[in-house]
Amino acid sequence: MSGKNLEIPGHVSLAPGAGGLQKVLVKTAWSSAEIYLHGAHVTGFQKKGEPPLLFMSAASEFTAGKPVRGGVPVIFPWFGAREGLPFHAFARITTWELKETSLLPNGAVTLRFILPDAENFHAEYLVTVAESLTLELDVGNTGDMDATFEACLHTYFQISGIDAISITGLAGTSYQDKVAGTTETQTADAIRISSEVDRVYPDTAATTEIEDPGFGRKIRIAKSGSNSTVVWNPWIDKSKRMPDFGDEEYLHMVCVESGNVAQNNVTLPPGGHAVMKVEISSERLLS
Ligand code: BG6
């Protein structure tokens, strides 16, 4: 990061964050946001007059080399386990470079991050803060052979209560149930969560919505260049096993993640690139 020239008075400022890690604070006419350079991790997005959109664990660590619990971890270039290597890969535990900030004529603010040392990839991440939050991960193959990667924007949403919400948009899609170890089909229109849920829905580019009557809002997750959706809530036992997550916090979060994982991994020819774009917006529910 080249320092103060990235600041935009009234809109973008740099500040020391938790654990001494550097963060960027963004303000627009509609919203505010907070992004750490560690992981290019969006740890906050809040529209004026609404509860925060993103859940952050009060027990999260903010330590170099360790993941942050909550917000939007950027999972790249693999998703899940890889023998001898970090779970969910290195992008979320690497300090990204903040390359550029801009205030657009419409009042939106964009931040452009670059992942240093991404092996044979060039990865850029564009975060746009406005009335909605837009995240774009652009991955290029800088090597001289085909290269394959997985990616996922592992978004934690703040909800009024896990028993109050329903998630729509995935009906008719089959999914891998990672808790049961089976493949199932989503028959119900709305997903309701009342036990541990860890599901990968492949081959879907559908927009999903989280309806949350307790907060009187509906969250919309619209995406392009992403063919997998992951839904996760750790429920009681797994919450207790996670040292950086409160025992009761599963009640107030759900992850609806947009990515290209497992069979939807992406293979790029030399010089090729792929963009995954996710726009997260919210609206008031009519009471
Ligand atoms: C989800 C995975 O995307 O991430 C889960 O499907 C995993 O299996 C979860 O438990 C959280 O992973 P981590 O490494 O952030 O604890």
Side-chain angles (χ1 to χ4, degrees):
M1 189 162 70
S2 40
K4 292 283 170 192
N5 60 347
L6 292 162
E7 295 194 320
I8 303 175
H11 294 281
V12 178
S13 56
L14 308 175
L21 301 175
Q22 191 143 29
K23 67 181 181 183
V24 189
L25 299 170
V26 178
K27 278 193 189 344
T28 70
W30 312 274
S31 59
S32 57
E34 180 186 84
I35 303 103
Y36 276 73
L37 270 59
H38 175 63
H41 200 120
V42 180
T43 51
F45 175 77
Q46 185 166 17
K47 272 168 67 175
K48 287 182 179 165
E50 271 194 28
L53 201 79
L54 301 176
F55 164 87
M56 267 304 302
S57 170
S60 178
E61 293 198 54
F62 284 88
T63 307
K66 293 203 170 170
V68 167
R69 177 72 65 196
V72 190
V74 179
I75 312 297
F76 169 80
W78 64 87
F79 179 84
R82 188 169 278 194
E83 209 183 327
L85 293 168
F87 192 83
H88 281 345
F90 54 81
R92 67 173 177 168
I93 52 171
T94 301
T95 302
W96 292 56
E97 186 185 353
L98 178 58
K99 208 59 190 170
E100 195 181 352
T101 59
S102 350
L103 175 62
L104 304 183
N106 66 3
V109 168
T110 64
L111 312 177
R112 192 160 65 86
F113 295 90
I114 291 185
L115 177 63
D117 305 326
E119 299 176 343
N120 284 337
F121 295 109
H122 175 81
E124 288 199 14
Y125 189 44
L126 191 70
V127 176
T128 303
V129 181
E131 190 172 8
S132 57
L133 174 68
T134 306
L135 307 169
E136 286 164 84
L137 183 67
D138 185 342
V139 176
N141 178 2
T142 57
D144 51 17
M145 290 192 303
D146 284 2
T148 299
F149 67 93
E150 295 171 288
C152 191
L153 299 175
H154 190 309
T155 313
Y156 289 72
F157 291 99
Q158 171 129 327
I159 53 173
S160 63
I162 194 70
D163 54 353
I165 62 141
S166 52
I167 303 167
T168 52
L170 295 166
T173 311
S174 68
Y175 62 89
Q176 281 117 41
D177 183 331
K178 288 167 71 180
V179 178
T182 54
T183 301
E184 309 287 343
T185 299
Q186 181 64 48
T187 45
D189 272 352
I191 302 169
R192 300 187 70 95
I193 296 179
S194 55
S195 60
E196 183 182 351
V197 166
D198 192 353
R199 298 180 182 173
V200 179
Y201 292 81
D203 305 325
T204 175
T207 296
T208 45
E209 292 184 335
I210 305 170
E211 190 159 310
D212 185 348
F215 277 166
R217 81 173 164 196
K218 182 156 72 178
I219 298 172
R220 178 172 294 117
I221 305 137
K223 58 182 193 162
S224 60
S226 155
N227 290 314
S228 319
T229 298
V230 180
V231 178
W232 182 62
N233 180 287
W235 211 249
I236 299 168
D237 293 343
K238 190 159 182 173
S239 296
K240 290 187 179 152
R241 291 198 300 272
M242 295 194 297
D244 59 344
F245 190 79
D247 288 359
E248 309 265 289
E249 286 186 322
Y250 74 94
L251 292 167
H252 297 290
M253 56 70 69
V254 68
C255 288
V256 177
E257 313 167 27
S258 304
N260 289 304
V261 309
Q263 69 202 61
N264 298 131
N265 64 17
V266 178
T267 298
L268 295 173
H273 79 118
V275 181
M276 171 166 80
K277 178 173 177 177
V278 181
E279 182 178 4
I280 301 165
S281 56
S282 64
E283 62 186 57
R284 305 307 302 164
L285 281 178
L286 298 175
S287 49

